[in-house]
Structure formats: structure tokens, C-alpha cells
Amino acid sequence: MGFGEKEESLVKESWEAMKPNVADLSVCFFTNILDIAPAVKDMFSFLRDSDEVPQNNAKLKAHAIKVFKMTCESAIQLGEKGEVVVPDSSLKHLGSVHLKNRVVSVHFEVVKEALLRTIKEAVGEKWSDDMASAWGQAYDELAAAIKNEMNQDQSATALPSN
């Protein structure tokens, strides 16, 4: 299934509906991540020293907003350009941070599941299989770009120096 105007519209519409409540949704998002995979808690610097997901953690909220926003922007790019284009500096940073924190493919799947659960909860009866598919595709494309950068980063680090 391709990513077209319909999919882009579904993501944009649901993102607009979520924006006013994004602070609460960020807590919901991280609660979902930790419900799915409690062991990943220590991968997030802003959660390491806490026994629960803090309701007023500014770093948690900022990180969740970035994930939501980047996924939404990925959807828009897929609709407009047919691919996700992340600025090189941002992509290099994302790849480096994810590599440093030992993020692996299964972690991306956990985040995807948590993201979709959060959006489903946020949009209520507007949720549909088509909306799930649109957000899923956008997230998968963004995750693929980050994984690719991680692989390049890892390969560059593994090269012997002359």
C-alpha cells in the first residue's frame, strides 16, 4: 500500500487533534513504552532515577513531542515527496544517540506500538485501521532512516585507522 494524500491527511488530522493535549499524551506515550518493555526505562536518561513516569518531567515531554512531531513530518514528506528526508545534522545526531544507547530493532517496534496505542487512545472513535496504517508507515520510514544512520555510524567507527 502506498502513502498518499489520504494517509497524509489522516496523520495531519489526528496530529492536530492531539496537539492541545500533547503534554498529557507524552506521559501516556512513555507509560505505554514502559508497559510494553519495562527494561528499556534506563535507556532514557530522564527516567533512569525515577520509579515511575513523572507527570511533570519536562525532558520526557520534550522527547515525546519530538517523536510525535517527527513521525507526523515523516508522513507529510511521504505524501509530498514519496520519502522521508531528515536533515543530515539531525539524522547524524539521532543515529549517534540511538547507537550510544544501544537501541536495536526491537526497541523501534516497542516505540511504534506505544505510539499507535497512544494515538488510538487520543483520537478515540476517529481511530481506524487506515489511520493506524498511515501512522505506522510514517513511523517505519523514520525508523528506517535512523537505523540506516546508526549502521553508517557503526561502520565508520569500526573502520581501522591508517
mmCIF file of all heavy atoms in Angstrom, residues 121-140:
data_model
loop_
_atom_site.group_PDB
_atom_site.id
_atom_site.type_symbol
_atom_site.label_atom_id
_atom_site.label_comp_id
_atom_site.label_asym_id
_atom_site.label_seq_id
_atom_site.Cartn_x
_atom_site.Cartn_y
_atom_site.Cartn_z
ATOM 1 N N GLU A 121 -5.757 5.974 21.710
ATOM 2 C CA GLU A 121 -6.396 6.477 22.923
ATOM 3 C C GLU A 121 -6.764 7.960 22.769
ATOM 4 O O GLU A 121 -7.824 8.395 23.195
ATOM 5 C CB GLU A 121 -5.422 6.295 24.092
ATOM 6 C CG GLU A 121 -6.027 6.442 25.446
ATOM 7 C CD GLU A 121 -5.035 6.096 26.536
ATOM 8 O OE1 GLU A 121 -4.375 5.033 26.452
ATOM 9 O OE2 GLU A 121 -4.911 6.911 27.470
ATOM 10 N N ALA A 122 -5.888 8.715 22.124
ATOM 11 C CA ALA A 122 -6.090 10.159 21.997
ATOM 12 C C ALA A 122 -7.233 10.524 21.056
ATOM 13 O O ALA A 122 -7.980 11.460 21.320
ATOM 14 C CB ALA A 122 -4.804 10.820 21.517
ATOM 15 N N VAL A 123 -7.357 9.799 19.956
ATOM 16 C CA VAL A 123 -8.360 10.187 18.950
ATOM 17 C C VAL A 123 -9.693 9.462 19.114
ATOM 18 O O VAL A 123 -10.668 9.813 18.451
ATOM 19 C CB VAL A 123 -7.828 10.027 17.501
ATOM 20 C CG1 VAL A 123 -6.587 10.883 17.278
ATOM 21 C CG2 VAL A 123 -7.557 8.573 17.153
ATOM 22 N N GLY A 124 -9.723 8.469 19.979
ATOM 23 C CA GLY A 124 -10.984 7.784 20.284
ATOM 24 C C GLY A 124 -11.649 7.160 19.077
ATOM 25 O O GLY A 124 -11.033 6.407 18.329
ATOM 26 N N GLU A 125 -12.898 7.524 18.850
ATOM 27 C CA GLU A 125 -13.682 6.886 17.794
ATOM 28 C C GLU A 125 -13.229 7.268 16.384
ATOM 29 O O GLU A 125 -13.662 6.655 15.408
ATOM 30 C CB GLU A 125 -15.171 7.153 17.985
ATOM 31 C CG GLU A 125 -15.558 8.614 17.971
ATOM 32 C CD GLU A 125 -17.006 8.824 18.400
ATOM 33 O OE1 GLU A 125 -17.417 8.237 19.412
ATOM 34 O OE2 GLU A 125 -17.697 9.594 17.710
ATOM 35 N N LYS A 126 -12.353 8.240 16.256
ATOM 36 C CA LYS A 126 -11.812 8.582 14.929
ATOM 37 C C LYS A 126 -10.758 7.555 14.478
ATOM 38 O O LYS A 126 -10.374 7.529 13.322
ATOM 39 C CB LYS A 126 -11.180 9.973 14.941
ATOM 40 C CG LYS A 126 -12.189 11.083 15.039
ATOM 41 C CD LYS A 126 -11.517 12.423 14.936
ATOM 42 C CE LYS A 126 -12.539 13.539 15.006
ATOM 43 N NZ LYS A 126 -11.946 14.839 14.808
ATOM 44 N N TRP A 127 -10.278 6.736 15.427
ATOM 45 C CA TRP A 127 -9.260 5.733 15.135
ATOM 46 C C TRP A 127 -9.806 4.730 14.128
ATOM 47 O O TRP A 127 -10.967 4.336 14.175
ATOM 48 C CB TRP A 127 -8.875 5.009 16.420
ATOM 49 C CG TRP A 127 -7.798 3.988 16.246
ATOM 50 C CD1 TRP A 127 -7.938 2.633 16.263
ATOM 51 C CD2 TRP A 127 -6.407 4.226 16.036
ATOM 52 N NE1 TRP A 127 -6.729 2.020 16.080
ATOM 53 C CE2 TRP A 127 -5.765 2.977 15.933
ATOM 54 C CE3 TRP A 127 -5.638 5.379 15.921
ATOM 55 C CZ2 TRP A 127 -4.387 2.840 15.737
ATOM 56 C CZ3 TRP A 127 -4.265 5.250 15.722
ATOM 57 C CH2 TRP A 127 -3.663 4.001 15.627
ATOM 58 N N SER A 128 -8.963 4.339 13.194
ATOM 59 C CA SER A 128 -9.344 3.350 12.185
ATOM 60 C C SER A 128 -8.109 2.567 11.764
ATOM 61 O O SER A 128 -6.985 2.961 12.056
ATOM 62 C CB SER A 128 -9.942 4.057 10.958
ATOM 63 O OG SER A 128 -8.936 4.834 10.309
ATOM 64 N N ASP A 129 -8.352 1.478 11.061
ATOM 65 C CA ASP A 129 -7.233 0.697 10.523
ATOM 66 C C ASP A 129 -6.400 1.549 9.564
ATOM 67 O O ASP A 129 -5.171 1.435 9.527
ATOM 68 C CB ASP A 129 -7.736 -0.552 9.801
ATOM 69 C CG ASP A 129 -8.294 -1.596 10.757
ATOM 70 O OD1 ASP A 129 -8.023 -1.512 11.982
ATOM 71 O OD2 ASP A 129 -9.007 -2.505 10.284
ATOM 72 N N ASP A 130 -7.080 2.405 8.795
ATOM 73 C CA ASP A 130 -6.354 3.268 7.855
ATOM 74 C C ASP A 130 -5.454 4.259 8.595
ATOM 75 O O ASP A 130 -4.333 4.518 8.167
ATOM 76 C CB ASP A 130 -7.334 4.039 6.963
ATOM 77 C CG ASP A 130 -7.999 3.156 5.919
ATOM 78 O OD1 ASP A 130 -7.505 2.031 5.664
ATOM 79 O OD2 ASP A 130 -9.021 3.588 5.353
ATOM 80 N N MET A 131 -5.950 4.812 9.708
ATOM 81 C CA MET A 131 -5.142 5.751 10.481
ATOM 82 C C MET A 131 -3.948 5.027 11.098
ATOM 83 O O MET A 131 -2.828 5.536 11.076
ATOM 84 C CB MET A 131 -5.983 6.425 11.569
ATOM 85 C CG MET A 131 -5.225 7.521 12.323
ATOM 86 S SD MET A 131 -6.230 8.323 13.586
ATOM 87 C CE MET A 131 -7.323 9.307 12.544
ATOM 88 N N ALA A 132 -4.185 3.831 11.621
ATOM 89 C CA ALA A 132 -3.103 3.036 12.201
ATOM 90 C C ALA A 132 -2.040 2.745 11.147
ATOM 91 O O ALA A 132 -0.832 2.870 11.400
ATOM 92 C CB ALA A 132 -3.651 1.732 12.774
ATOM 93 N N SER A 133 -2.487 2.389 9.970
ATOM 94 C CA SER A 133 -1.563 2.081 8.881
ATOM 95 C C SER A 133 -0.756 3.317 8.460
ATOM 96 O O SER A 133 0.452 3.228 8.230
ATOM 97 C CB SER A 133 -2.343 1.525 7.684
ATOM 98 O OG SER A 133 -1.475 1.291 6.607
ATOM 99 N N ALA A 134 -1.422 4.461 8.384
ATOM 100 C CA ALA A 134 -0.744 5.699 7.970
ATOM 101 C C ALA A 134 0.342 6.087 8.978
ATOM 102 O O ALA A 134 1.476 6.380 8.594
ATOM 103 C CB ALA A 134 -1.759 6.830 7.807
ATOM 104 N N TRP A 135 -0.023 6.107 10.269
ATOM 105 C CA TRP A 135 0.977 6.436 11.291
ATOM 106 C C TRP A 135 2.088 5.377 11.314
ATOM 107 O O TRP A 135 3.264 5.708 11.461
ATOM 108 C CB TRP A 135 0.317 6.535 12.670
ATOM 109 C CG TRP A 135 -0.250 7.880 12.966
ATOM 110 C CD1 TRP A 135 -1.557 8.261 12.857
ATOM 111 C CD2 TRP A 135 0.450 9.038 13.440
ATOM 112 N NE1 TRP A 135 -1.703 9.576 13.232
ATOM 113 C CE2 TRP A 135 -0.480 10.072 13.592
ATOM 114 C CE3 TRP A 135 1.792 9.291 13.748
ATOM 115 C CZ2 TRP A 135 -0.138 11.351 14.043
ATOM 116 C CZ3 TRP A 135 2.134 10.559 14.195
ATOM 117 C CH2 TRP A 135 1.187 11.576 14.336
ATOM 118 N N GLY A 136 1.700 4.123 11.155
ATOM 119 C CA GLY A 136 2.685 3.043 11.156
ATOM 120 C C GLY A 136 3.686 3.183 10.021
ATOM 121 O O GLY A 136 4.890 3.025 10.221
ATOM 122 N N GLN A 137 3.192 3.486 8.836
ATOM 123 C CA GLN A 137 4.080 3.676 7.683
ATOM 124 C C GLN A 137 5.028 4.851 7.912
ATOM 125 O O GLN A 137 6.218 4.756 7.622
ATOM 126 C CB GLN A 137 3.261 3.941 6.414
ATOM 127 C CG GLN A 137 2.704 2.725 5.753
ATOM 128 C CD GLN A 137 2.005 3.125 4.459
ATOM 129 O OE1 GLN A 137 0.796 3.358 4.455
ATOM 130 N NE2 GLN A 137 2.754 3.196 3.385
ATOM 131 N N ALA A 138 4.478 5.959 8.384
ATOM 132 C CA ALA A 138 5.308 7.137 8.611
ATOM 133 C C ALA A 138 6.391 6.835 9.644
ATOM 134 O O ALA A 138 7.561 7.184 9.456
ATOM 135 C CB ALA A 138 4.443 8.314 9.063
ATOM 136 N N TYR A 139 6.004 6.170 10.727
ATOM 137 C CA TYR A 139 6.984 5.822 11.759
ATOM 138 C C TYR A 139 8.034 4.863 11.201
ATOM 139 O O TYR A 139 9.230 5.026 11.448
ATOM 140 C CB TYR A 139 6.297 5.197 12.987
ATOM 141 C CG TYR A 139 7.324 4.789 14.009
ATOM 142 C CD1 TYR A 139 7.869 5.725 14.890
ATOM 143 C CD2 TYR A 139 7.811 3.484 14.050
ATOM 144 C CE1 TYR A 139 8.857 5.360 15.793
ATOM 145 C CE2 TYR A 139 8.798 3.119 14.948
ATOM 146 C CZ TYR A 139 9.318 4.058 15.813
ATOM 147 O OH TYR A 139 10.309 3.705 16.689
ATOM 148 N N ASP A 140 7.602 3.856 10.440
ATOM 149 C CA ASP A 140 8.543 2.883 9.877
ATOM 150 C C ASP A 140 9.583 3.555 8.984
ATOM 151 O O ASP A 140 10.764 3.185 9.007
ATOM 152 C CB ASP A 140 7.802 1.806 9.079
ATOM 153 C CG ASP A 140 7.045 0.829 9.966
ATOM 154 O OD1 ASP A 140 7.295 0.794 11.191
ATOM 155 O OD2 ASP A 140 6.179 0.096 9.419
#
